[in-house]
Every structure is written in structure tokens, then in C-alpha cells.
Amino acid sequence: MQYFADLVISGLAIGAIYGLIGMGYACIYKATGVVNFAQGEVMMLITYVTASLLTLTTWPFWMGLVLAPAVGILVGIVVERVVIRPMIGRPSFAIVMVTIGLAVLMRSLIVLFWGSEPREFPGRGSEDVIQILGIGLYPVQVLAFLIFISAAAAAWAFLRYSRLGIAMRATALSEQIAMLMGVDVRRISGLSWAGAAALSGLAGVLFASAAYVGPDLFAVGLKAFPATILGGLDAVTGSAFGGLLIGVTENLVGGYVDSSLKEIAGFVVIIFILMLRPNGLFGDRDVERV
Amino acid sequence: MLQIRNARILYGRAIEAVRDVSLDVARGRVVALLGTNGAGKSTILKAVTGLLASEDGEVVSGSVTFEGQSLLGQRPDAVMRHGIALVPEGRRLFTKLTVRDNLVMGGFIRSRGDFSAGLDSVIALFPALANKLDRTAGFLSGGEQQMVAIGRALLSGPRLLMLDEPSLGLAPLIVEEIFASLRRLRDERGLTILVIEQNARLALSLADDGYILENGRIMLDGTAAELAANPVIRSLYLGMTDGGTRHNLRDAAPMRQRVRWPA
């Protein structure tokens, strides 16, 4: 039982990171109808930049959690401006291909600039295990979970209540009509990329401070993809929840079945879930009046 | 207020949707644009709102101006800030959003204070919406959806309200109600309205001026009363007969020729 609880709790911690990235996928997909396959690479870039900034300034670790979303917003806006905006109006498929190209390019540029040697995240949090309900956890795992909860709640409230959030949902439903309402859909696209990058930047710093900063960090983004498919590609808070589910499933499979299956557990789960619910657990089905 | 001069509109640089259209919407007037399917009515509205570009259409010659300023080449979100609102064909609500969120989008460019005042006046115009604000818009009846669509357009605080086929797909009783509310908007707020309709009788009962569009050209224009009295219009658009002489389609061809170049 103790073993099970350990697996679930640490699964929730890694799931929180998947959830943050998953929200990013959903945020961009919802606003622009594009799956950003460079999400993991964007996260990696932000993590590297944040790590370098912390090293340069010798600021404490927690400043990284402030810097990462800030750097993320900047990276998101730049990528959207340079790569995505010129493609607006083209078929979604073409834009998705561009994000794949962008992913490969960013991976290579990062290795070119920072080298391929993994490094430690500067000033990583304390290694002292804290006990919660008899389960030992690293502080960064607790931190990841708390940040995840607040980000998910903030995203939910933003989309539900703020005028800009409603405009984002409206744009997702019909770009043309949103324009007729006075919404500049280019700004919505930029906003969604900035938001997604800020979320994945947080995820990257949290993950790297528990592990390391290395050129294979992008794989975390790939593993978060099942989370957003599971929760619904167009459901931002649903994707957050999907992240937790995938994280826990992975850990349980790794703990009870075989640790080599851990990597693919998430993908197996989505195959089964999508058979039952093609739009994901929380995805929108079309509203149709009978 | 709105002026279109000799507009020629092509889709995909090849297909001619509008050949030569000139029309005027004067301040405080209600103007009806009539015509059959495919005559180019909706294309004209798209040219005004700027939606034409996203459908690969272009005004290749002529001008479209609003209060003296050219609207050509402006994006839809820029055009609407001049004070032009569109109730699109088929209502086109944000079906998965609530009625309130649809209306919030209508007031997207206004301040919060203006929005709540605007919301009150929309509810006053359409009391049926009062207790449906938190419902999902897509689940409302067609008539209620049309009310939301009109309310959404009004919330941007337009000086020119354009409606594309507001009667489409609605029961006659509901249509009467919608048109009664448009009459109130004209009488009580002096709103300038451009309405596109296939239902000519309905549109001429509301309008001050009318234009008849056929195959991308304005065939006839005049006050609504003049049009309603014109024998060709009566026969072809209003389905009325005069003194026992029935116009059928065979008679129609030469009569249309005659109205094309009015003396």
C-alpha cells in the first residue's frame, strides 16, 4: 500500500509537469486549430535560456520560476511572429508541418549553442525529503504540483470569465465572426503562443531542476502529448487533468509491470480512451440542435 | 452614409459575382437590397465588412466608402470599428458559448459600462432573452438565435446595422416579430439599416428605399413605395397579379429588358 501511494504521489508530480505542457498544446490548438509539435523544443529553449540567466546573475532558484514564464512569453511571441503569422490562412496541415520543421531546427540550434553535454540546473532546490502523509517527497515535486494547480485554475478562470478569454474561445469557434466583433485574430494567435510557451517554460524549469538540463529535454514535451489528447485537444483544463492521469498511469505501470513499459504507457492509454471517447475525456462535441 | 460606386467584385480573380453595383444608404434610412439566390447580395455585404478577402474575393474596381472614408482593403475588425455591424446569414452564433458570452463578444470593443447599458437595451428589445442568458446559444430556437445575433450586433454600438437574410429558415410568426423589432430600432433609435432579403414583401414593408439586384447588377432602384407599385416587381417579386393579367416567366424577359435602362 505504501508502495502504491508512493507511485501515485510521484506520478502526480510528474503528471503536473505533463499537465502544464498539455495545457500549452490545448491553448494553441484551441485558438488556432494547430497542433504545435515544437512544444517540447520551445520548452527546452526556455529552460536553457533560464538556466543560463540564473548562472549569469547567480540569482536564487526561485527566480527561475519567475524568469521562465517571462522568457516563455518572449519566445512564444517571437516564434509566432516569425514562423506562424506568415502562415495564417494556409491549411492547418501546412502549419503543423512547419512546427515539425521548427522542432528539428530548434533542437540543432540548442546543441550548437549550448553543446550536447547535460548540465545541472543552477541552484536546484534543496534535496531534503519532506514527509507528507508518510510519503517522502522532494520540495520541487510539491512545488510542481502547487504551480500546476494554480496555473490550471488561472487558465480556467481566464477562459471562463475574462473578455479576452471569451474572445479566444470565440475565435476558436469562428475566426470570421470573431473578426466581425472587432477581435484582431492575429493578436489572439500571438497570445495563445505566448501563454503556451509560458506554461511549458514553467514545466521545463521544474523538470530540469529535478533532473538536469540536457538536449533530450524535448522528449518530455512529446510525453505530454498523450495528456492533451486524453483530456481533449481543445480543452485546456481537461488537458491539465489528462496530464495527472498520464503521470500516475506511467508510474504505476513502471512500478508494477515493467519499467521499460513506462515510456509507452501513456500512448497505450490514449488508444483505449480514444476508442471510447474520440474527442478525449473533456473535448467538445459539436453542439447540434435536433 | 454608406456609398458603393460602380463596384465590380471577383472571386479568385476570375469569377464575377458583382458586375456593376452602385448604392447609397443615407443616414436614418432603411434600405432593402432584394434579389434572387446568387444575385450577389451577400457578396456586397462581404465587400463592406472586409470578409471578402478571407474568401479570396476582391473589389477590382469601384469604391466602397463609409462617411467618406474608403473601406476597401481594411480588415473586418477595423471596418466594424467605424460603426458598422453585421447580422450574418444563418445567424452564425458562437454556438458553444452561452448567450451572455455571445453578447459579451458583441460588446468586445466597448467599455464595461457601455456593455451593461447595451445589454439592458437588448433585453428591453427582446424580453425573451432575459432568462436565457446562461444557456448555450446553439440550443436556442431559431428565432431566439436570431434575436441573439441581432443583439450581438447592436452591442457594438453601430451606426449602420446590416442584416443578411434575417427571415431565413424562421417561422412566419417569428419573422413578423423580428421585423417588428427592426421597425422599433428604426423608429425609436433612428438606426440606419441595410437589409438583404429574398422575401421582398417583408423587406419593402420595412424599408424606405430599395434596390433590385439581378446577376450582379442593380436592375432597378427607388423608394420602397415606388418599387411596391411597379408592375414587374409586383409580378416577379411579390407574386401579385394586376387586373387579371398574369406575368409569367415568358413575359418577364422583355419586361426586365425595359427596366434595365429606365428613362
Side-chain angles (χ1 to χ4, degrees):
Chain A
M1 195 58 215
Q2 177 68 39
Y3 185 51
F4 176 78
D6 276 344
L7 287 176
V8 169
I9 296 287
S10 55
L12 286 176
I14 185 73
I17 287 171
Y18 293 158
L20 285 170
I21 305 170
M23 281 161 68
Y25 278 114
C27 183
I28 291 178
Y29 182 81
K30 200 174 173 65
T32 63
V34 168
V35 179
N36 172 22
F37 279 108
Q39 189 80 358
E41 283 74 8
V42 167
M43 178 193 86
M44 184 156 75
L45 175 66
I46 299 165
T47 311
Y48 266 101
V49 172
T50 308
S52 295
L53 284 176
L54 285 184
T55 313
L56 279 176
T57 55
T58 66
W59 280 339
F61 167 72
W62 61 266
M63 270 302 291
L65 297 173
V66 180
L67 279 176
V71 172
I73 288 171
L74 204 70
V75 169
I77 288 175
V78 169
V79 168
E80 197 272 341
R81 265 295 154 86
V82 174
V83 183
I84 302 302
R85 194 161 293 185
M87 297 288 292
I88 281 185
R90 303 288 168 81
S92 299
F93 185 71
I95 308 181
V96 171
M97 295 316 277
V98 165
T99 69
I100 293 178
L102 180 70
V104 177
L105 184 72
M106 285 173 90
R107 248 179 267 166
S108 320
L109 287 180
I110 284 171
V111 172
L112 203 66
F113 197 77
W114 278 283
S116 58
E117 279 300 304
R119 57 184 80 187
E120 195 165 277
F121 194 85
R124 52 191 285 179
S126 92
E127 301 273 324
D128 303 336
V129 173
I130 39 177
Q131 296 285 329
I132 293 177
L133 303 170
I135 293 156
L137 281 169
Y138 291 117
V140 66
Q141 288 182 306
V142 180
L143 194 63
F145 198 73
L146 291 178
I147 288 178
F148 163 78
I149 293 287
S150 13
W156 179 81
F158 173 75
L159 287 172
R160 180 80 183 74
Y161 296 111
S162 84
R163 203 181 267 209
L164 210 52
I166 296 170
M168 271 179 92
R169 287 189 290 147
T171 306
L173 292 172
S174 169
E175 228 169 73
Q176 284 201 336
I177 305 298
M179 285 195 282
L180 284 178
M181 303 292 121
V183 178
D184 186 345
V185 295
R186 295 168 303 182
R187 273 185 54 206
I188 296 289
S189 165
L191 185 72
S192 69
W193 277 79
L199 288 168
S200 54
L202 276 174
V205 166
L206 288 167
F207 185 85
S209 66
Y212 55 84
V213 189
D216 56 353
L217 214 54
F218 70 89
V220 182
L222 221 55
K223 283 174 75 182
F225 191 60
T228 188
I229 297 288
L230 182 64
L233 200 46
D234 56 355
V236 176
T237 36
S239 295
F241 184 74
L244 294 184
L245 227 55
I246 294 287
V248 171
T249 311
E250 257 188 25
N251 251 20
L252 289 178
V253 169
Y256 284 113
V257 188
D258 190 313
S259 61
S260 63
L261 284 180
K262 195 176 168 178
E263 305 294 315
I264 59 162
F267 288 93
V268 175
V269 169
I270 59 168
I271 289 174
F272 283 109
I273 297 253
L274 288 186
M275 281 182 190
L276 299 173
R277 291 187 59 101
N279 293 310
L281 290 177
F282 306 99
D284 259 335
R285 271 166 296 182
D286 286 332
V287 171
E288 221 165 294
R289 218 163 48 83
V290 192
Chain B
M1 199 173 204
L2 178 72
Q3 234 180 32
I4 300 178
R5 285 285 171 271
N6 301 102
R8 179 163 181 261
I9 303 174
L10 302 184
Y11 281 111
R13 291 166 184 266
I15 300 157
E16 188 176 61
V18 168
R19 177 163 301 180
D20 179 14
V21 163
S22 300
L23 69 82
D24 277 287
V25 182
R27 187 185 305 279
R29 305 285 280 185
V30 176
V31 176
L33 181 56
L34 309 174
T36 50
N37 262 337
K41 306 187 299 289
S42 295
T43 300
I44 292 174
L45 287 199
K46 283 174 191 154
V48 176
T49 55
L51 282 180
L52 204 57
S54 62
E55 296 182 1
D56 202 20
E58 196 190 350
V59 180
V60 289
S61 61
S63 66
V64 178
T65 57
F66 185 70
E67 296 179 330
Q69 277 180 292
S70 174
L71 297 179
L72 294 182
Q74 292 196 34
R75 294 172 51 81
D77 49 290
V79 169
M80 67 85 63
R81 281 168 203 267
H82 291 280
I84 301 175
L86 173 70
V87 179
E89 184 176 356
R91 305 178 280 277
R92 302 282 304 271
L93 296 185
F94 301 111
T95 49
K96 291 174 192 170
L97 301 191
T98 62
V99 171
R100 185 189 303 276
D101 285 351
N102 269 277
L103 297 174
V104 165
M105 286 312 295
F108 184 74
I109 60 164
R110 318 250 321 264
S111 72
R112 269 172 214 286
D114 284 351
F115 171 73
S116 52
L119 185 60
D120 290 343
S121 73
V122 166
I123 299 291
L125 189 67
F126 301 117
L129 297 181
N131 56 359
K132 300 209 164 68
L133 289 177
D134 293 316
R135 298 267 288 273
T136 301
F139 289 130
L140 296 184
S141 73
E144 288 163 346
Q145 289 196 18
Q146 188 62 273
M147 293 175 194
V148 177
I150 294 173
R152 184 177 66 176
L154 289 175
L155 273 163
S156 67
R159 283 172 293 147
L160 171 64
L161 179 68
M162 305 196 296
L163 302 103
D164 194 347
E165 303 263 8
S167 74
L168 195 73
L170 298 181
L173 223 63
I174 306 290
V175 172
E176 282 304 325
E177 206 177 312
I178 298 284
F179 271 75
S181 64
L182 293 178
R183 256 174 228 116
R184 280 184 60 190
L185 285 174
R186 176 193 62 186
D187 297 341
E188 294 169 16
R189 303 190 200 172
L191 196 63
T192 310
I193 297 176
L194 172 60
V195 59
I196 283 185
E197 261 297 340
Q198 288 199 47
N199 185 336
R201 182 192 57 78
L202 202 64
L204 290 177
S205 75
L206 171 73
D208 303 307
D209 308 310
Y211 290 83
I212 309 282
L213 190 66
E214 282 281 325
N215 297 323
R217 287 172 184 273
I218 298 288
M219 303 293 278
L220 195 61
D221 69 80
T223 66
E226 283 166 14
L227 290 179
N230 183 303
V232 181
I233 303 298
R234 288 174 70 81
S235 133
L236 292 178
Y237 288 89
L238 302 175
M240 296 178 196
T241 56
D242 291 312
T245 54
R246 295 175 71 97
H247 296 276
N248 61 27
L249 277 176
R250 233 173 296 146
D251 302 327
M255 299 217 55
R256 287 187 192 195
Q257 287 294 322
R258 209 159 0 119
V259 294
R260 186 174 290 175
W261 294 285

